[in-house]
Every structure is written in structure tokens, then in C-alpha cells.
Amino acid sequence: MTTNTPPAGSDRRVLHPYDPSEFLAETRICLRQIPTDCLIVMGCGKSGQTPVVTTSDLSDLLAPAWADRLEQHLELLLSRGCCRASAMVVVGDGHGALPEPALEELTVRLAARILATAAHLLPDPFPLESLWMVGNSQCRQVLRGEPDVDEERLLVSPPQPLRPFQETRAAADEVLVGRSVPQPPREEPRLDLVGRQLHLTRTALDAAVDPGELFARARGALRRLRASDGGPADPAFVTDCELVSDLVSAVAVERLHWELLARCVDRGHASPIDREQLLQVLVRDGSWCPDSDVCAGGDWYEAIAQLRHVAAAACADPELPGHAIAREAWRGLTAMLTLLAWWNHRFATAGSLVDELWDREPASTLAPLLARMTDTPIFPAWWPSP
């Protein structure tokens, strides 16, 4: 089982679990990404307690061990004090066109599994107050009826339109208070161009460089590069590419990308974390929680994702100078982003990154450890709560 498990946030409440358009929009805002092909469960506890939003890939519900994985998902919510929940199955992103017969067959099959598991969860049934099936810009509510002989009966409502995200109250509230809204993935031709223009040099293992300073310069350079339309003939473009090159060259060294990860963990804390025991500390000491800059959507988190994109572009062509260095840097940045996602309780996101690492680097010695942390999962000690 892999899940993303953020709270709704200490300054917000999920207001409309019975309005599927708002439910989906609030999840998008809480997760800082667009929910796609996933089960969403919003668990609520006592009055005033911040709701917890979890997601799990639909592939988990279609796998041979789906029952165990679904029980783990619901038991996770129970263990965090949730006494009731609403759920939603999102096929695609909920709005994209899908073949109607295949969609209906899939959603009914998944709904039966979810409702039956919740009803028979031991020692007590899990109180699932509503279940929505979303796809093709439509939503249907599914309820469990009285069993017909030995078979489960499902009651499915007529379809109703699913409002676009920008027409929801949740989206309007984000705009009103000036918060950024998660957008669909987009092409990044500027980052691709930067990657192809990097001049990477091998950084010595004992080089006296400060990855924190290099990262600060690279973040500023990336902001300028993405905002301008200058090309390789522009001196400012060349200068900023050099700053990005310095950082990418440095994080190809394991010691330096690990130090940069530690700087991300240190962010917002009075004292530095023990570099030698970093993961062990994060697993046992709940006082270490991520600063907003290293949460999804935060400045540092997004900069690492952009640098990873640049490194991928730099190693896409084996003929480009510094190809091997770019490949090592991409590996290091992927590991960093995976661990930051894990620390943010975004296990599905971290799991996707591990899968990509394994696909590109099948001999990676780090991938098995990261996979164990995200798939088991091994939880960070801190828990998102108000």
C-alpha cells in the first residue's frame, strides 16, 4: 500500500464531503497535486479535529492482495483517531474522457470492494458515510444495499455533472487568500533548454564546496531562466546556466547531495540534525517536521524537482558533455525528492519516484531501501495535525 497522508491543514476544514466537486477540489489543494487514478478517503474525528486526507493508487485495489492493502488504508485512519469517513474513487483525473462501459465496470467493481471491506473490518465496521465514483466529468454516489441471497447489492445514483475545479468554492477561497493552486503538469521547454546547455565538471569527493550556497544561487538562477526568453546567445542566460551547472555538478557527489538533503531537513529548526543518523532521527523524533519550504509546493521542494528535470534533460543525450555526471546528479536529486516526499507523508508520490529510479537505474543500491520505506510504509515520527 502506498498513500499520501496530509491533513487538511490547521487553517482550513474540508467543508463539503457530500459535494463531490468540492471534495475533489479540497483534496487537490491539500495534496498540492491533482488526484489521478486513486482512492481518496477523508477521515474525520471529534468535532474541531482537522480532517485527514489520504490517497492510494487504484492499482492497489486491483492487485491480488487488494483486501489487505485496503484494510491497511482504513486501519491507518482508525489509528489516527478517525471515527468516520467519506471516500471517492477517481478514474483518470475525474474530468478526462474515458470509455463509458469500461468506466462503469471498473467503478462498480471497486465500489463493491471498498464498501464490503469497510463493512466487515474487524473488530468493528469502519463507518464509511459516503462513496463517490468520479470519471468522465460525472459523479455517482454508491451505497451498499441489503444483500441479495449471498451477493452484495449496490445502489448507484444517476450521474450528475462534476464541476470544473475553477468553479468550486475551494478554488475560489484559495484565490481569495492569495495561495497558489496546484496546476496540471506542463511542458517545461525552458528547463529542457537549460539542461542541454549545462557545462558539468566532475566535483572532487573532498571538494570544499557549500551545497547550501550553491542551491540558493541555483534557485535564483532557475527563477530568472524560467521568466526570461533569452537563449544561449544571451550573456545573462549563460551566467545563470553556470550557476545551475555548479549545483548539478555538486549533487552528483553522494556526500554533497546528502548534505543538501540535511539542509532541507534543518530548514526552520534551531539546530542541525545529526547527519550520520538523519533517517533514524526522522523515524523516532516527532519534533522534526518539514518547513513549508520543503513541503510540496514550497520553494525548496519545487526547486529540487526543477533541478531534477534539468538533470534529466542533461543526461537524455549520451553525446552531450557531462552525460555521466548528469546521470549521477539525477539519481541524487531523485533520492532527495523521494525522501522529502516520504517525510511529508506522501508515500504514493515517493513510491512513484522510486519506480522511476528503478526503471532508469535497475542496479541502484538505494532503490530497495527507498522502496521499503514507501511501500511498507515506514512512517516519519511526526504526524500532520493541527
Side-chain angles (χ1 to χ4, degrees):
M1 180 195 70
T2 56
T3 59
N4 287 330
T5 318
S10 58
D11 59 344
R12 65 183 305 113
R13 294 290 185 271
V14 180
L15 301 175
H16 302 287
Y18 299 106
D19 181 331
S21 299
E22 296 292 342
F23 191 160
L24 186 60
E26 285 282 1
T27 302
R28 174 172 172 173
I29 291 166
C30 293
L31 291 177
R32 308 305 303 165
Q33 68 184 44
I34 298 175
T36 304
D37 288 327
C38 63
L39 166 67
I40 304 168
V41 183
M42 184 191 74
C44 299
K46 298 176 182 177
S47 177
Q49 179 179 330
T50 302
V52 173
V53 179
T54 75
T55 69
S56 186
D57 294 338
L58 288 190
S59 58
D60 287 343
L61 294 180
L62 298 171
W66 66 268
D68 291 340
R69 297 185 181 195
L70 183 54
E71 285 186 15
Q72 279 185 306
H73 195 153
L74 299 179
E75 286 169 352
L76 170 63
L77 290 165
L78 287 170
S79 71
R80 296 299 173 180
C82 297
C83 55
R84 64 189 190 282
S86 299
M88 174 178 286
V89 170
V90 185
V91 182
D93 66 355
H95 295 279
L98 297 162
E100 190 64 33
L103 174 63
E104 183 173 353
E105 179 184 352
L106 174 64
T107 54
V108 169
R109 181 173 158 201
L110 293 176
R113 291 182 170 187
I114 295 164
L115 291 172
T117 301
H120 296 108
L121 191 66
L122 298 176
D124 298 303
F126 189 86
L128 203 57
E129 296 182 338
S130 66
L131 173 62
W132 294 95
M133 315 300 291
V134 173
N136 272 346
S137 296
Q138 294 182 330
C139 44
R140 296 174 173 86
Q141 187 170 20
V142 184
L143 301 174
R144 189 166 177 260
E146 291 296 326
D148 184 5
V149 189
D150 293 327
E151 294 185 358
E152 295 284 344
R153 290 183 64 237
L154 297 181
L155 307 177
V156 184
S157 72
Q160 58 179 281
L162 183 70
R163 300 195 307 282
F165 174 76
Q166 60 269 23
E167 295 180 12
T168 62
R169 173 178 171 179
D173 286 346
E174 291 298 287
V175 172
L176 185 63
V177 299
R179 282 191 287 252
S180 63
V181 173
Q183 299 298 327
R186 61 178 183 175
E187 296 294 324
E188 289 276 12
R190 293 291 293 175
L191 294 183
D192 293 334
L193 177 61
V194 171
R196 293 192 296 270
Q197 300 300 317
L198 295 186
H199 295 284
L200 303 175
T201 57
R202 181 67 64 183
T203 302
L205 296 179
D206 59 351
V209 298
D210 185 335
E213 289 184 9
L214 296 180
F215 184 45
R217 294 171 190 163
R219 291 200 311 275
L222 283 173
R223 283 193 291 269
R224 293 188 294 271
L225 287 165
R226 298 178 79 210
S228 72
D229 55 4
D234 181 353
F237 178 92
V238 173
T239 299
D240 282 334
C241 280
E242 289 174 353
L243 296 175
V244 175
S245 296
D246 290 343
L247 185 281
V248 174
S249 295
V251 295
V253 177
E254 182 178 353
R255 174 181 66 84
L256 296 176
H257 76 238
W258 188 258
E259 174 60 24
L260 183 55
L261 173 66
R263 299 288 182 91
C264 291
V265 173
D266 289 345
R267 182 73 171 168
H269 293 86
S271 57
I273 195 166
D274 182 345
R275 270 53 174 164
E276 298 296 325
Q277 297 286 317
L278 187 148
L279 291 180
Q280 294 91 324
V281 172
L282 295 184
V283 167
R284 68 171 182 257
D285 185 349
S287 68
W288 287 93
C289 57
D291 183 80
S292 59
D293 276 342
V294 294
C295 292
D299 183 54
W300 288 30
Y301 187 100
E302 295 304 316
I304 292 170
Q306 291 162 16
L307 288 163
R308 179 174 173 272
H309 187 121
V310 168
C315 64
D317 183 354
E319 300 302 319
L320 287 174
H323 171 266
I325 299 172
R327 182 175 168 181
E328 292 164 16
W330 179 87
R331 202 160 49 222
L333 290 162
T334 299
M336 285 180 58
L337 201 60
T338 300
L339 288 168
L340 289 178
W342 166 83
W343 194 30
N344 278 279
H345 286 262
R346 301 171 67 83
F347 304 118
T349 301
S352 297
L353 291 166
V354 175
D355 290 343
E356 190 177 347
L357 179 61
W358 232 324
D359 288 342
R360 287 201 183 195
E361 304 285 346
S364 169
T365 57
L366 185 59
L369 169 63
L370 297 175
R372 183 174 174 231
M373 292 178 68
T374 58
D375 290 346
T376 305
I378 297 171
F379 291 102
W382 83 284
W383 179 258
S385 61

